[in-house]
Amino acid sequence: MTVLTIALLAQLTVSARPVAPVLSFPDAGLDDTSAYSGYQTRFFRDAARNTLQVYIDQRNARLVHLMADADNASAGFTARDARGATAVLQWGAAGATVGAAAGTRHFTHVVAARTPTLHLGWFLLGSMRVERDFQYEQRASQPFADAPYVIPDVDRLIAALEQLPQRARARHLARLNARSVGDLRSRMYPRPQLRRERDAWVTRVQQVTLDARDTLTLELRADAAAVTVTVAGDSVTMQAQRGDRVTFTVHVSTTARTLTPLTRTDIFTPDFLAFLAATRRRGEAAGVLDTASVRARRMERQVRGVELLVSREKLMAGLPTYATYFGRDMLMTALMMRPIWRHQALEAVIATALRKLAPTGDVSHEEALGDQAVRESAAAYVALITAYRAADATGSAHVADSLLTRAELVLRDLRTVRENYHMIDDEYQLPIVVARWITDPAVPAAAKRAFLLDRRDGGVTRAQRLVRELALVARLTAPYAANPVTTNLIAFAPREPSGWATASWRDSGAGYAGGRYAMDINAIWVPHALESLGRIMTAMRALGIATATSDTTLARYVRDSASLTRAIMTWRGASRHFAVQLTAPQVMTATRARLAAMPTAERDWWTSRSGAARDTEAPIEFLAVALDAQGKPLAVANTDAATQLFLGEGEGRTTGSTPEEVAHTLRDVRLFARPYPAGLFVDRIGPVVANDAYATPATWDAFVKDPYHGPRVVWGREVNLFLLGTAGRIASARQQSGTDNAAYVAELRTALEKVRSAVEQSGFHTELWSYGFTDGRLAAMRYGSGADIQLWSTTDLAVQYVLAKALR
């Protein structure tokens, strides 16, 4: 589908046709089905080839449909049996049916419930972000008779609008295509409506957007000869007339805008696709349970996952929870996928990031679509109306009129995509992606010029947008380059009522252990971003593209390359602030204290392991996850060193070419290979994302309460960064000779295979996974909020390709 076709989609007509799932989870041949704890999901292509996911989650009795289109919409409901317990739902057919007519896309599938009495409630149609928050708040477990779920920001918008003077209220209502406040309130939540249609009961649940411009409809259809259906308030009851099962059809339709999906031939290089085909042939020749067969099937699943996430407009971060643009996820994936992606795919990534830049040059972290955009717009509207009322009360008529006009414009643009710029790390990731693309000799110079001089986004060339972003990087990093003290490092902003707002990838409450200065930003991303800045400016001049800038720091770097070199060298030294070195007795004391604070089953497991004492009787060194506000390292061992392994010590130099660089590599690799609780490695699980044994009891408690980036979780992105980075160090070291070098390569390879094998044994190749203890045994398990398909987890494809070539 071309971009032109999008404009004509309202006239798209596709006759209803059956479709099979593109993917299903769990897959008994690839996944440990018990680890999914009653969760199952299917992925389809709708009539416009946009991604559509359906999942059944028995943990919260929820069945949800995600339309991963330009609005990121969802339609879900909760299912209970006669006792109010979770109803067991199953797929009622092997596939589904899709179609389109008059600008509306349709999706139909069959569901079977293993209960004679089925109660359905908590119907929620709108943004997947709203569905996510609904589940986080555990509202799905509340009685159906409770008050309907409404979006608080929208409720406040309506209340604020209702208090306006009549003339202003009428104008604002008109912006929302409403005649009265009652019209708006009727759009706040859906209400089931039942009708008899020949031989079927049809329950229709419809959600009109707040501005009435789009409609999302869910219909439940049951055979009237087999099932009796009644509606009471906001819930539906289906009663089997005989037997102990209720079977019904779910029909979802939407008028939302679509995306332009790309195929594998648009995304991947011919060399990788040949490698994929060869892997598939080896798998077909092997037995079903053979390693080669499993690897081939898993790679095919991941390629399909990439196709489900990637469109011409953007790369979605993950399904189902993050079916939208996330700058960091996209940029990190682009870096890791470079060996196997066509340069046009990298250009799509760069173009998206540049198009979404803030006027200041900040990279967008996340976009708000559909109802999420409405929610954020509603908050902005309420703030303006509150300020308007204050100005009006003090007689400031001019100010009041201005605020009222601005509020009306917010309603006009209610569903316009909104960008979130609060993250920091993506500012430094974009230059690295651009530098690796612009210096790639495989990309024709003419293609680079055409791309950078393109003006289709607002009449400004991409080169001009890029220079704006580079100027921001130069400006933010200048204080430390001039005076390298900890207070000049890149810092997180204050968070109310206390602490610091984490603004890098470990963005949970405990992720940076309450630190203000993140190691990954300051010791890794900034030095590489500055190196990339220089390479970009040099390449642009070679292409004949102007690099003029009004920013004094960037202008100085362009004029005097030696000043940029000095800044880079200064920032490379920032890692010294984060260095943690502990003696063997200190390691033993810390790990014993941490084990003593664990629950009995967990403590017994770790202390009973063969070699446990030996693992904790050696010194250790690592870079702390962050510094506190006083510049003191917060001694949480972590996986962020994998990023440095992956990016290399410095552009244009042979990685590991000096004794110091070899020592840094061994320090980082040994941390990954050293068993927990001293290091990060957990057998049959993988490297945990953090180890808090060397931190304070307060930090231990924080990770227990907020485990997302803690010692019980493995992140797929970190695993892949480690494997790619270590493979790169091995390849680089092989270019050298000597006994010491051979021992160095052997140690790296042993660590790589150790981590790789543990992850294979875990059975997970997803965004993140965890582990638990049952009957005295440790076992991998699905993390509750983990994505089924996550963009940067599909980088396992690059791992397979790179390792096959690097280690043969």
Side-chain angles (χ1 to χ4, degrees), residues 425-444:
D425 53 343
D426 40 24
E427 263 75 81
Y428 307 102
Q429 291 161 355
L430 178 57
I432 301 172
V433 175
V434 175
R436 298 192 175 197
W437 165 77
I438 202 171
T439 59
D440 185 349
V443 183

Side-chain angles (χ1 to χ4, degrees), residues 607-691:
T607 54
S608 67
R609 289 172 48 254
S610 175
R614 183 179 64 253
D615 295 336
T616 60
E617 293 175 354
I620 195 168
E621 56 180 310
F622 56 87
L623 298 182
V625 72
L627 307 179
D628 65 15
Q630 288 72 45
K632 179 183 177 182
L634 296 164
V636 175
N638 61 87
T639 55
D640 286 347
T643 302
Q644 180 71 351
L645 288 170
F646 170 72
L647 293 176
E649 295 291 345
E651 298 293 350
R653 297 186 295 138
T654 301
T655 295
S657 59
T658 70
E660 182 183 26
E661 290 166 2
V662 168
H664 289 166
T665 297
L666 290 175
R667 174 198 65 196
D668 298 339
V669 168
R670 287 168 179 169
L671 180 64
F672 273 78
R674 187 167 178 174
Y676 185 85
L680 300 175
F681 181 79
V682 180
D683 193 29
R684 302 193 310 278
I685 303 296
V688 293
V689 73
N691 180 353

Side-chain angles (χ1 to χ4, degrees), residues 565-763:
T565 300
R566 288 192 296 272
I568 293 169
M569 295 304 295
T570 298
W571 270 101
R572 281 186 191 160
S575 61
R576 74 183 187 278
H577 303 299
F578 300 87
V580 175
Q581 294 180 317
L582 300 173
T583 64
Q586 288 174 317
V587 171
M588 190 180 305
T589 299
T591 54
R592 285 178 177 176
R594 186 66 189 95
L595 290 174
M598 291 180 180
T600 302
E602 192 171 351
R603 180 175 63 251
D604 290 348
W605 168 264
W606 296 119
T607 54
S608 67
R609 289 172 48 254
S610 175
R614 183 179 64 253
D615 295 336
T616 60
E617 293 175 354
I620 195 168
E621 56 180 310
F622 56 87
L623 298 182
V625 72
L627 307 179
D628 65 15
Q630 288 72 45
K632 179 183 177 182
L634 296 164
V636 175
N638 61 87
T639 55
D640 286 347
T643 302
Q644 180 71 351
L645 288 170
F646 170 72
L647 293 176
E649 295 291 345
E651 298 293 350
R653 297 186 295 138
T654 301
T655 295
S657 59
T658 70
E660 182 183 26
E661 290 166 2
V662 168
H664 289 166
T665 297
L666 290 175
R667 174 198 65 196
D668 298 339
V669 168
R670 287 168 179 169
L671 180 64
F672 273 78
R674 187 167 178 174
Y676 185 85
L680 300 175
F681 181 79
V682 180
D683 193 29
R684 302 193 310 278
I685 303 296
V688 293
V689 73
N691 180 353
D692 59 9
Y694 310 109
T696 64
T699 301
W700 305 345
D701 293 341
F703 277 121
V704 169
K705 295 173 183 175
D706 190 355
Y708 196 49
H709 295 101
R712 292 288 290 269
V713 176
V714 179
W715 278 75
R717 101 167 202 162
E718 299 295 274
V719 170
N720 291 345
L721 283 167
F722 174 79
L723 295 176
L724 289 170
T726 306
R729 301 296 170 114
I730 292 172
S732 180
R734 279 178 168 174
Q735 300 173 17
Q736 305 168 47
S737 60
T739 303
D740 290 344
N741 189 63
Y744 169 67
V745 169
E747 181 171 355
L748 296 189
R749 182 157 187 164
T750 298
L752 184 152
E753 295 293 357
K754 182 177 183 179
V755 169
R756 187 185 190 188
S757 175
V759 171
E760 289 287 344
Q761 291 177 71
S762 78

Side-chain angles (χ1 to χ4, degrees), residues 201 321 381 445 456 507 543 639 641 789:
W201 289 107
T321 313
Y381 178 85
R456 73 183 65 184
D507 53 356
L543 290 169
T639 55
I789 302 174

